[in-house]
Amino acid sequence: MLLKIIRYIKGYIRIRITGYSTERFLNACSHKGVVLWGLTPVNRAYEMNIQAKGFRQLKPIIRKTGTKVVIVGRFGLPFFLHKYRKRKLFFAGAVLFVALVFLMSRYIWNIDIRGNLSYTDETLLRFLASTQVTNGMPVAEVDCARIVKDIRKEYNDIIWVSASIKGTRLIIQVKENEDSLPAMDAVNQETEEPTDDASQAMDIVADQDCTITRIVPRKGIPMVKEGQEVKAGDILVSGQVPVLDDAGTVIAYQYHKADADIEGRTSMEYQDEIGLTYEVKEYASVEKIEYTLKIGDYYLRFGSIQNSYDTWEMYGSQKQLCIGENFYLPVICDRRIAKPYQASEKKYSKKELQRILSSSFQRYCKDLDKKGVEIIENNVKIYTGPKKAEAKGRLSVLMPIGTLAQSQLLDVPVIEEQDETGE
């Protein structure tokens, strides 16, 4: 690639060699150090590329070998400048363009956010704007460390952030906490040992009514047994571990963040419905198109989507001018299309209703499975009414139970000491 650029800057000529001694011509060029490349046979002749400087050395070689040289084409920057030497405005525009590109390279014109699932790009961009991080800000004023710190501080469920600048692009990568329950494991790892700080005590409480089927405590005191029915809010594992004396009396408590694997059996209601009819759209062949060219804060519109259609849909696309992969410029082209259509109503068949509701229920079951929920009994049925069809019923499931909650501190019993006389 670099060699091609150098040859273009120096300029080169495409020549065609004819005659009975073309091999002698090639050998003589090699002996004289004349560089040739791109050699191809063409109709009992040969075509090749040669530097403009080397072309001036061919005269004695041509005379000696009795060959004939014809110029096929001239390529490169020197020939381009010579061809357009009288077009001063063209070169002035080219210089101005290069200057503008250099000036624009000192600003951020695109903020690319990656890895976000719970938060949309618009939400994060609004937050960044509130911290004065926007398109059009100078690259020198971008503090990547501060951006990372601000995002981590504002969004607790974003556990990792990185910010970097490439060209005129600010790339922000985030990683969210994908756990459905609070990050119990991470919290527990913070304090592996018991502590005397009562504010650190946390219990695991039931987050719904259920029957406990399995409990494996790792920290804390289990307050329920397998087979026991519990209500939402009941303490399953206490983070307050009593310290007993030789007589079995509680003299103090050690405080933990409770940790356990708990599974319970419970029931869940399921309901989904769908109308008996659906809309079919028949699009017309005519459409209205509008283009908008945005340069900074200035707009230039071509065409219009304004129309007298009774019903229509609008489609839009946007593209920002980019040189290479990361060199964005503040030039954006919008395209909007208004397409008219006529709507008609059709009715689902009974089989189509069953297929749609069944597919929706299967997706729901797959989502439960991803969350560690096991379905052990399915009582969901499909009913068809005069206006809608619905799938409803109850599911018996085995699922993880429990969430962390601050402990309600227990009082340590006060033991009154008796004197030696027993009074």
Side-chain angles (χ1 to χ4, degrees), residues 7-8 56 72 106 108 118 170 183 251 255 265 288 307-308 318 334 348 357 375 381 401 411 413 416 418 420 423:
R7 286 172 174 171
Y8 181 82
R56 301 186 187 98
V72 177
R106 305 173 68 87
I108 295 294
S118 302
L170 174 60
I251 58 174
Y255 302 105
R265 176 171 179 166
K288 290 277 190 174
N307 58 80
S308 57
Q318 185 181 86
D334 283 333
Y348 286 112
L357 291 172
I375 299 175
K381 296 181 180 180
I401 299 295
D411 295 329
E416 296 182 359
Q418 296 181 344
E420 296 180 354
E423 295 179 356

Side-chain angles (χ1 to χ4, degrees), residues 208-223:
Q208 58 185 300
D209 299 349
C210 67
T211 300
I212 302 298
T213 58
R214 186 173 71 93
I215 179 167
V216 182
R218 286 189 288 269
K219 290 181 183 178
I221 301 296
M223 307 300 290

Side-chain angles (χ1 to χ4, degrees), residues 135-146:
N135 287 324
M137 69 180 301
V139 173
E141 295 182 6
V142 178
D143 187 347
C144 292
R146 182 178 66 84

Side-chain angles (χ1 to χ4, degrees), residues 131-334:
T131 61
Q132 285 74 51
V133 178
T134 59
N135 287 324
M137 69 180 301
V139 173
E141 295 182 6
V142 178
D143 187 347
C144 292
R146 182 178 66 84
I147 292 173
V148 170
K149 184 178 179 180
D150 290 343
I151 293 177
R152 289 287 306 276
K153 184 177 179 181
E154 179 70 15
Y155 302 99
N156 294 327
D157 49 351
I158 294 180
I159 59 178
W160 178 82
V161 186
S162 74
S164 60
I165 298 174
K166 291 185 178 180
T168 60
R169 194 180 198 184
L170 174 60
I171 300 176
I172 298 176
Q173 294 178 303
V174 302
K175 183 174 178 58
E176 300 175 2
N177 185 1
E178 298 178 359
D179 295 338
S180 56
L181 295 176
M184 193 178 296
D185 293 338
V187 173
N188 290 327
Q189 290 172 4
E190 294 177 2
T191 54
E192 295 292 341
E193 300 298 330
T195 176
D196 294 330
D197 185 359
S199 64
Q200 297 296 318
M202 298 192 75
D203 301 331
I204 299 178
V205 300
D207 49 3
Q208 58 185 300
D209 299 349
C210 67
T211 300
I212 302 298
T213 58
R214 186 173 71 93
I215 179 167
V216 182
R218 286 189 288 269
K219 290 181 183 178
I221 301 296
M223 307 300 290
V224 295
K225 298 180 180 179
E226 294 182 2
Q228 182 175 339
E229 294 184 1
V230 297
K231 301 290 185 181
D234 288 351
I235 298 176
L236 306 180
V237 179
S238 174
Q240 302 178 70
V241 179
V243 179
L244 308 178
D245 61 10
D246 294 339
T249 304
V250 177
I251 58 174
Y253 286 97
Q254 288 183 339
Y255 302 105
H256 298 258
K257 288 183 173 66
D259 183 21
D261 290 333
I262 307 172
E263 192 176 74
R265 176 171 179 166
T266 185
S267 62
M268 304 172 60
E269 287 191 2
Y270 176 83
Q271 184 171 4
D272 186 23
E273 62 182 40
I274 184 175
L276 300 182
T277 60
Y278 63 99
E279 186 180 66
V280 177
K281 297 178 181 179
E282 184 177 349
Y283 294 93
S285 57
V286 296
E287 58 185 27
K288 290 277 190 174
I289 303 178
E290 176 185 279
Y291 293 94
T292 303
L293 182 64
K294 179 182 178 184
I295 304 176
D297 295 329
Y298 298 94
Y299 295 85
L300 185 61
R301 285 191 172 89
F302 305 92
S304 175
I305 60 170
Q306 299 214 355
N307 58 80
S308 57
Y309 306 143
D310 294 331
T311 55
W312 54 283
E313 291 179 347
M314 187 179 74
Y315 302 86
S317 61
Q318 185 181 86
K319 188 173 183 180
Q320 186 172 2
L321 180 61
C322 180
I323 302 175
E325 183 179 356
N326 296 306
F327 198 92
Y328 282 82
L329 296 175
V331 180
I332 299 175
C333 181
D334 283 333

Side-chain angles (χ1 to χ4, degrees), residues 336-407:
R336 295 196 296 171
I337 302 175
K339 298 183 68 173
Y341 67 89
Q342 289 184 346
S344 59
E345 197 173 78
K346 289 191 175 182
K347 191 174 183 180
Y348 286 112
S349 66
K350 190 173 182 180
K351 287 185 178 180
E352 287 176 328
L353 291 170
Q354 290 177 344
R355 178 180 55 80
I356 294 171
L357 291 172
S358 296
S359 297
S360 179
F361 178 68
Q362 289 173 5
R363 288 193 298 270
Y364 176 78
C365 292
K366 287 181 180 179
D367 290 339
L368 291 180
D369 184 62
K370 290 179 181 179
K371 297 176 183 179
V373 179
E374 178 186 355
I375 299 175
I376 57 178
E377 188 176 347
N378 176 8
N379 292 318
V380 176
K381 296 181 180 180
I382 296 176
Y383 304 90
T384 303
K387 294 184 179 180
K388 62 181 180 180
E390 58 182 345
K392 61 180 180 179
R394 299 188 70 85
L395 300 172
S396 294
V397 298
L398 292 175
M399 63 182 298
I401 299 295
T403 185
L404 286 172
Q406 192 71 39
S407 290

Side-chain angles (χ1 to χ4, degrees), residues 79-93:
F79 300 108
F80 176 81
L81 295 177
H82 183 268
K83 183 178 180 181
Y84 296 101
R85 63 188 182 279
K86 295 182 179 180
R87 300 187 179 183
K88 298 180 181 179
L89 289 179
F90 172 79
F91 289 105

